């Protein structure tokens, strides 16, 4: 069975030390073949915050943590980026939503996304290990190169950048079904983006994401 993109959705959230936010999975998905998840679908969930410290973020099904991909990333600058990416396969009764925890501080804006695929092998969801990358002095998130090994694999790229100045978004020159969202206008703001590419051969290094705000070495 070939992999298909089901759809995705995004949301921003205000900074807080408590309280959860959800993104629906049973409706509202766009850009793909369906507006809701089905049994066996793979949900990739992304949660990023702007901050001035290393935060511990939570992505759950309401009770149980999603499976973390690699590790939660932290990039330390004047405005710090925290990024957590995790996944869950839907069971026979698919979840109604994905739950995201608080950002960790009232000044820390949050940005969230769900990105759903169908036809992914539940026994080997990651064809090769994820390749993390972090950086400072720019809001132009720049993913590392990756090379799958299995015909029909999809490459998924997630980027985040902390900044000030309000709600901003990314652009991508080479990713398909690209979704981007800015968190609310807090003290420490955040932009999140996620897209994919159907792999054919060789290594792929996604172009750095464009950003709607003028760049700064504080970002």
């Amino acid at each position: 069975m070939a992999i298909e993109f089901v759809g995705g959705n995004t949301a921003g959230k205000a900074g807080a030390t408590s309280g959860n936010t959800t993104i629906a999975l049973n409706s509202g998905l766009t850009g793909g073949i369906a507006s809701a998840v089905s049994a066996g679908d793979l949900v990739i969930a992304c949660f990023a915050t702007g901050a001035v410290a290393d935060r511990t973020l939570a992505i759950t099904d309401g009770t149980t943590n999603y499976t973390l991909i690699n590790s939660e990333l932290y990039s330390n600058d004047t405005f710090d980026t925290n990024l957590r990416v995790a996944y869950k396969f839907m069971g026979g009764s698919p979840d109604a939503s994905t739950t995201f925890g608080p950002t960790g501080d009232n000044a820390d804006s949050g940005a969230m996304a769900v990105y759903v695929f169908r036809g992914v092998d539940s026994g080997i969801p990651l064809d090769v290990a994820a390749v993390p990358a972090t950086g400072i002095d720019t809001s132009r998130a720049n993913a590392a190169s990756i090379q799958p090994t299995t015909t029909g694999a999809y490459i998924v790229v997630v980027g985040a950048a902390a900044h000030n100045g309000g709600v901003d978004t990314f652009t991508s020159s080479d990713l398909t079904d690209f979704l981007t969202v800015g968190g609310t206008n807090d003290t420490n703001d955040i932009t999140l983006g996620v897209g994919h590419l159907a792999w054919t051969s060789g290594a792929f290094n996604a172009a750095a994401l464009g950003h709607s705000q003028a760049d700064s070495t504080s970002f």
Side-chain angles (χ1 to χ4, degrees), residues 69-150:
I69 297 176
N70 192 264
S71 61
E72 185 174 303
L73 300 182
Y74 173 62
S75 191
N76 185 0
D77 207 316
T78 304
F79 298 95
D80 301 351
T81 301
N82 292 273
L83 174 62
R84 187 177 188 89
V85 181
Y87 71 87
K88 181 185 177 181
F89 281 96
M90 293 293 99
S93 297
D95 299 336
S97 61
T98 302
T99 300
F100 301 83
T103 65
D105 192 278
N106 292 338
D108 295 358
S109 175
M112 306 157 290
V114 294
Y115 208 73
V116 184
F117 291 95
R118 187 164 297 165
V120 177
D121 183 350
S122 61
I124 313 174
L126 302 182
D127 185 54
V128 293
V131 183
T134 58
I136 61 172
D137 297 340
T138 182
S139 61
R140 278 53 177 166
N142 194 356
S145 177
I146 191 168
Q147 183 168 342
T149 61
T150 303

Side-chain angles (χ1 to χ4, degrees), residues 130-210:
V131 183
T134 58
I136 61 172
D137 297 340
T138 182
S139 61
R140 278 53 177 166
N142 194 356
S145 177
I146 191 168
Q147 183 168 342
T149 61
T150 303
T151 301
Y154 273 40
I155 295 170
V156 177
V157 175
V158 182
H163 53 88
N164 63 354
V167 179
D168 288 285
T169 54
F170 283 130
T171 57
S172 171
S173 62
D174 54 7
L175 298 175
T176 302
D177 297 312
F178 185 71
L179 299 178
T180 181
V181 61
T184 58
N185 187 2
D186 282 314
T187 303
N188 309 308
D189 301 323
I190 190 71
T191 302
L192 174 68
V194 54
H196 75 269
L197 185 79
W199 178 72
T200 53
S201 63
F204 175 70
N205 191 353
L209 300 179

